[in-house]
Amino acid sequence: MGRFGGYLISDSLDYCCMDIAVPFFSADAANLELDPLISISRVVRRGRYVLAEEVDAFEHSFAAYCGVPHGVGLASGTDALELALRAFGIGPGDTVMLAANAGFYGSVAVSLVGAKAHYVEIDSDTMTLSVDSLEQALRRGKPKAIIVTHLYGQLADIGAIAELAREHGVAVVEDCAQAHGAMSGGQRAGSFGDVGCFSFYPTKNLGALGDGGMVTCRNDALARKLRSLRQYGWGSKYHNELEGGRNSRLDEVQAAVLNDKLPLLDVANEKRRIAARFYQSALASVPLRLPVSTGADYVAHLYVVRTPQRDALHDFLARRGITSEVHYPVPDHLQQVTVRQRRERDSLARTEDACSSVLSLPCFVGITPDQQQAVVSAVREFFSAP
């Protein structure tokens, strides 16, 4: 028996026999310090529901939080990735480099603009885009952009990647959907690359009551282009000036909720990190590969462990009432739609190994010490079985 901060760590395997169900996420806990009805009522009272005061306020406050001048609210994080690529003029015949272990979201955006995905190997520790592999890929060919996913809340080596991209004259699109507030050198996710793309899906570190997204950037002309693309490509009302425009507007209700939740984000991230640190301490002696960081560069969007026994552990936890998830089981280059299109590819052994071994344990704002101890005890029981 030991302690970690305010947590009591039990060494007993009998602890997991307690009747404690552990969900993977709790919407109630995520919104505990916020009354969404107050946010919503402001919108209803004004009677303006699309691209009005709340969207404008949230765009400014979130951009300032990220440390950039511009934020452009969109309907989803996937739209953010797609319209970012369109804003750079990327289309058929162009290539975009990205990792293949991040859930296919970047690949969808590349496909939607008609470009070709070139998958680059990941770093074996962080499971984010490998700087060395990217450098080798850039020697062989020049893409129009690089999508860098900050995976599971862990910043990629974005400083080195951005510098490398500048040397080659390639745009950097940060996929920050899992990394709201992650920092390195005093700089936040979404401010390192040419653009930062965010999702505000309800389970994100900063989550709305539905879908929502944003692109952050420093460039004035790029921001104007994004604002046009999100509304049919209009230069002015009913005057279409840009191809590839669509209806992709963050609505006022979601913006109101997000703007009220934003001041709570850093505290919520620290609560996630505390939960992750408990796991790091309690599972240190278990034959699992644990996350490499629980510092400021990691906001614990997911707490992901690795084991060759992933599927068996997942099923064992489920029998104990503990929900775990796999993010993500099939790498992009092995998805059915991409296998049909690709005759040859680079070796992505590290990517494939990660996808076959990752398991996300419950780690959310509001998870209780008893719930975490139940997870730990169940994991220990699994690995102690003869």
Side-chain angles (χ1 to χ4, degrees):
M1 187 80 70
R3 285 193 173 273
F4 175 83
Y7 290 71
L8 188 66
I9 302 175
S10 172
D11 296 320
S12 172
L13 297 178
D14 294 333
Y15 194 96
C16 65
C17 298
M18 296 175 62
D19 186 19
I20 299 179
V22 187
F24 193 75
F25 172 75
S26 169
D28 289 340
N31 295 305
L32 187 62
E33 298 184 48
L34 174 79
D35 183 354
L37 293 179
I38 294 175
S39 312
I40 294 168
S41 67
R42 291 201 308 270
V43 178
V44 175
R45 285 198 306 268
R46 289 186 181 124
R48 289 165 56 83
Y49 305 118
V50 179
L51 294 185
E53 293 90 344
E54 296 292 344
V55 168
D56 184 66
F58 180 58
E59 286 178 338
H60 282 88
S61 61
F62 190 72
Y65 174 81
C66 293
V68 297
H70 301 292
V72 181
L74 302 168
S76 71
T78 305
D79 282 1
L81 289 167
E82 178 195 347
L83 295 187
L85 296 178
R86 290 192 186 280
F88 288 116
I90 296 171
D94 295 325
T95 298
V96 178
M97 290 184 177
L98 68 165
N101 65 324
F104 209 71
Y105 307 112
S107 293
V108 166
V110 173
S111 176
L112 286 170
V113 302
K116 177 183 177 182
H118 180 130
Y119 297 112
V120 177
E121 186 61 287
I122 60 170
D123 178 85
S124 60
D125 294 324
T126 65
M127 292 185 285
T128 60
L129 195 67
S130 164
V131 177
D132 291 341
S133 296
L134 177 62
E135 186 170 18
Q136 293 172 19
L138 288 171
R139 289 191 192 125
R140 297 194 299 268
K142 182 176 177 179
K144 286 288 286 286
I146 302 163
I147 296 177
V148 185
T149 300
H150 303 307
L151 194 63
Y152 309 142
Q154 174 63 56
L155 280 183
D157 192 353
I158 186 62
I161 291 171
E163 182 178 350
L164 186 61
R166 281 193 296 270
E167 291 173 2
H168 289 264
V170 178
V172 173
V173 176
E174 287 183 76
D175 179 356
C176 309
Q178 300 183 6
H180 311 68
M183 298 183 72
S184 177
Q187 194 171 341
R188 294 190 193 273
S191 67
F192 295 89
D194 294 279
V195 296
C197 298
F198 291 85
S199 166
F200 302 116
Y201 187 77
T203 59
K204 304 300 185 184
N205 290 48
L206 181 61
L209 301 183
D211 269 319
M214 186 173 289
V215 176
T216 56
C217 66
R218 300 180 185 278
N219 185 281
D220 297 350
L222 195 60
R224 285 194 298 271
K225 201 168 184 181
L226 286 161
R227 293 184 192 283
S228 174
L229 288 168
R230 76 173 171 188
Q231 187 154 253
Y232 315 116
W234 284 353
S236 58
K237 193 171 183 179
Y238 305 135
H239 292 264
N240 295 72
E241 297 179 359
L242 292 179
E243 292 185 359
R246 62 177 55 222
N247 179 350
S248 180
R249 301 173 296 212
L250 178 65
D251 74 73
E252 285 286 289
V253 167
Q254 303 302 345
V257 170
L258 290 164
N259 210 25
D260 289 348
K261 290 180 75 171
L262 180 58
L264 309 174
L265 177 57
D266 287 343
V267 171
N269 282 344
E270 185 56 25
K271 288 178 179 178
R272 287 175 178 267
R273 276 191 288 261
I274 289 170
R277 289 168 189 151
F278 171 81
Y279 282 140
Q280 292 286 94
S281 177
L283 297 174
S285 61
V286 177
L288 290 170
R289 196 165 179 182
L290 305 179
V292 296
S293 173
T294 56
D297 62 336
Y298 172 64
V299 291
H301 173 66
L302 296 170
Y303 185 84
V304 178
V305 300
R306 282 182 274 180
T307 172
Q309 298 171 270
R310 186 265 308 283
D311 294 338
L313 177 57
H314 173 272
D315 294 344
F316 182 87
L317 294 176
R319 292 195 295 272
R320 297 296 188 276
I322 296 167
T323 306
S324 59
E325 299 283 355
V326 178
H327 300 93
Y328 301 92
V330 183
D332 296 13
H333 65 288
L334 296 183
Q335 292 283 358
Q336 190 173 4
V337 294
T338 49
V339 166
R340 287 199 302 262
Q341 298 168 3
R342 295 171 63 84
R343 292 196 176 92
E344 56 186 80
R345 58 183 175 84
D346 295 339
S347 173
L348 298 172
R350 294 197 296 268
T351 297
E352 292 171 20
D353 176 71
C355 288
S356 68
S357 62
V358 290
L359 184 68
S360 302
L361 301 181
C363 185
F364 55 89
V365 173
I367 192 170
T368 67
D370 279 350
Q371 287 174 327
Q372 284 202 270
Q373 182 62 66
V375 174
V376 167
S377 295
V379 171
R380 287 175 173 172
E381 182 185 359
F382 173 81
F383 283 105
S384 68

